[in-house]
Structure formats: structure tokens, C-alpha cells
């Protein structure tokens, strides 16, 4: 299957700082990528749809000014958690669709805000 | 909105046993996907289903797209310790391949040697 890579896999930051997470499709182009958030032992919650060349589409209840998404190229989307607070600590996972509509996920990024 | 009910929530089985889990939706889906997630990692695609009635295998795993298009099941035969993880079903109701997925709550599988 297609490969999606995330970086960093783990990040610890102080409250009030901003953190950027990168998501790359390594062997295919992705005009659309999806960002998910996952709490321990829970399912994946879609945060936003990242669109190459246009603004991201955010799900209801997700603050777009808090979670900035930039789809810089056909192989790269970034999620920036701005002014992070402890409640933003979570597992963030990106994904990109394959040709048949299946989603391929990155390895995930564990954010811990102190 | 669309809802997916996945069951069971958790399973504790002995190595060698067969496992079955399923998902039902409140609306019709045109794609069903099954994923496995291990701790600290992203979900990995196991099986993708695109047609009602479709039965697909991937090694010891078999999944079916329900004929009503509102359900799917995943079977694991002769389980081994490395099958441990969380299994998620996911479905898509939209007509495009880029439509959003709805995820089930997950089934936590524990396999005792």
C-alpha cells in the first residue's frame, strides 16, 4: 500500500508554545489529506480536511485558529497547534486517500504539553 | 449524522481461537474498510471492501461487505499473539473516493499464549 509518513513521532512542549507536525505522502500525490485526533482507548476523531491549493475544511467544534493546516504541496500537509495547552495533549494522525478511496495513515504524533 | 456500532468492544481469547467482530451502520455505505492499530502507531489497512456481498481475505483475515450495505464483519482465524491490537471498522457513504470515513469505536483484542 501507499506510504504516509509523519514527523515528529513524539513532541513535548511547554504551555503557550506552538508545535508543527508534518505529514508526507512518500510514493504518491495527495490533493487531500485528513487530520485526526485520538484520545487513549478511543476511536479516531476527524479534525479537518486539508486541501492542496485551498483552505482546509474543519469539522464542527474544531478551532481553525488553534489548529492551523497548510497543504503546501501535493505531498505535504502540516498541522500547527498554536499556543498549546495541556488539554491539547493527544495523538494526532494524518491520512491520505489511495486511488480506490482507501485511507492510508501516518505513524501518528504524540503531543504532550506541559 | 452517520453512526457506526462496532462490537464487541473487547475480546480476550486463547491463541489458536477464531475471532469475529462486526460493524453496523444507521445508513448505507458504499465502502467498508478494516484497520488494525497497535499502541503508539497509526492504523494499518487490513482489508478494503467496495461491493455489497463482497468477501475478501488477507491471510488469516476475512471480511465481508454486508448485502444490505449497512454492515460488515471481520474474522481472524487461528489467532496468534501478534494479532493483539485495536481493530477499527470504517465506512464511507459518499459517492466520491475522497469522502469522509466514519469510524467504529474499535475492538480491543487480547490474545493469551
Amino acid at each position: 500500500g501507499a506510504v504516509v509518513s509523519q514527523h515528529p513521532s513524539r513532541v513535548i512542549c511547554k504551555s503557550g508554545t506552538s508545535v508543527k507536525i508534518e505529514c508526507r505522502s512518500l510514493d504518491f500525490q495527495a490533493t487531500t489529506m485528513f487530520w485526526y485526533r485520538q484520545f487513549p482507548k478511543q476511536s479516531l476523531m476527524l479534525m479537518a480536511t486539508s486541501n492542496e491549493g485551498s483552505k482546509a475544511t474543519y469539522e464542527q467544534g474544531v478551532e481553525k485558529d488553534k489548529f492551523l493546516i497548510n497543504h503546501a504541496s501535493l505531498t505535504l500537509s502540516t498541522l500547527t497547534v498554536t499556543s498549546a495547552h495541556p488539554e491539547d495533549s493527544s495523538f494526532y494522525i494524518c491520512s491520505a486517500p489511495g486511488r480506490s478511496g482507501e485511507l492510508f495513515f501516518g505513524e501518528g504524533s504524540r503531543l504532550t504539553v506541559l | 449524522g452517520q453512526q457506526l456500532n462496532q462490537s464487541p468492544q473487547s475480546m480476550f481469547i486463547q491463541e489458536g481461537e477464531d475471532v469475529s467482530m462486526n460493524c453496523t451502520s444507521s445508513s448505507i455505505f458504499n465502502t467498508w474498510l478494516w484497520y488494525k492499530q497497535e499502541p503508539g502507531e497509526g492504523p494499518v489497512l487490513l482489508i478494503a471492501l467496495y461491493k455489497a456481498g463482497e468477501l475478501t481475505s488477507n491471510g488469516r483475515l476475512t471480511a465481508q461487505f454486508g448485502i444490505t450495505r449497512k454492515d460488515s464483519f471481520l474474522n481472524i482465524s487461528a489467532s496468534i499473539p501478534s494479532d493483539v491490537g485495536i481493530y477499527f471498522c470504517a465506512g464511507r457513504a459518499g459517492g466520491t473516493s475522497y469522502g469522509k470515513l466514519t469510524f467504529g469505536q474499535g475492538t480491543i483484542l487480547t490474545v493469551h499464549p
Side-chain angles (χ1 to χ4, degrees), chain B:
Chain B
Q2 297 152 1
Q3 292 185 343
L4 270 187
N5 291 313
Q6 184 172 349
S7 65
Q9 284 188 327
S10 61
M11 303 182 74
F12 298 84
I13 62 169
Q14 290 292 127
E15 182 177 1
E17 291 183 3
D18 296 342
V19 171
S20 184
M21 58 192 80
N22 68 84
C23 279
T24 58
S25 72
S26 57
S27 55
I28 290 174
F29 283 173
N30 61 17
T31 301
W32 282 98
L33 305 170
W34 284 93
Y35 290 88
K36 177 187 178 185
Q37 185 179 26
E38 298 191 20
E41 299 182 12
V44 173
L45 181 66
L46 299 173
I47 293 178
L49 302 162
Y50 301 103
K51 293 196 304 187
E54 182 180 354
L55 182 71
T56 298
S57 293
N58 178 6
R60 293 179 294 106
L61 278 61
T62 302
Q64 184 160 30
F65 192 141
I67 200 73
T68 66
R69 298 171 65 189
K70 290 186 177 183
D71 63 313
S72 177
F73 71 75
L74 173 71
N75 287 343
I76 305 174
S77 63
S79 59
I80 58 178
S82 61
D83 290 333
V84 164
I86 304 178
Y87 291 79
F88 290 102
C89 63
R92 178 182 292 116
T96 69
S97 61
Y98 297 119
K100 300 174 198 174
L101 285 181
T102 301
F103 279 84
Q105 302 95 325
T107 296
I108 301 172
L109 178 63
T110 303
V111 180
H112 295 288

Side-chain angles (χ1 to χ4, degrees), chain A residues 7-8 18-22 78-81:
Chain A
H7 177 80
S18 294
V19 173
K20 180 186 285 187
I21 301 170
E22 293 186 347
T78 60
L79 168 68
T80 301
V81 183

Side-chain angles (χ1 to χ4, degrees), chain A residues 42-110:
Chain A
Q42 292 191 21
S43 190
L44 288 79
M45 181 188 77
L46 180 64
M47 298 175 65
T49 302
S50 174
N51 304 300
E52 191 270 336
S54 63
K55 291 182 180 179
T57 307
Y58 290 82
E59 295 301 300
Q60 191 173 7
V62 178
E63 299 175 61
K64 63 179 181 181
D65 296 328
K66 173 75 169 176
F67 299 100
L68 299 179
I69 290 173
N70 181 28
H71 202 129
S73 73
L74 287 173
T75 59
L76 174 64
S77 174
T78 60
L79 168 68
T80 301
V81 183
T82 63
S83 186
H85 291 285
E87 57 266 28
D88 298 324
S89 298
S90 191
F91 193 53
Y92 294 89
I93 319 173
C94 70
S95 67
R99 290 182 179 178
S100 300
E102 67 275 63
L103 273 193
F104 296 102
F105 286 87
E107 308 94 326
S109 299
R110 170 77 58 196

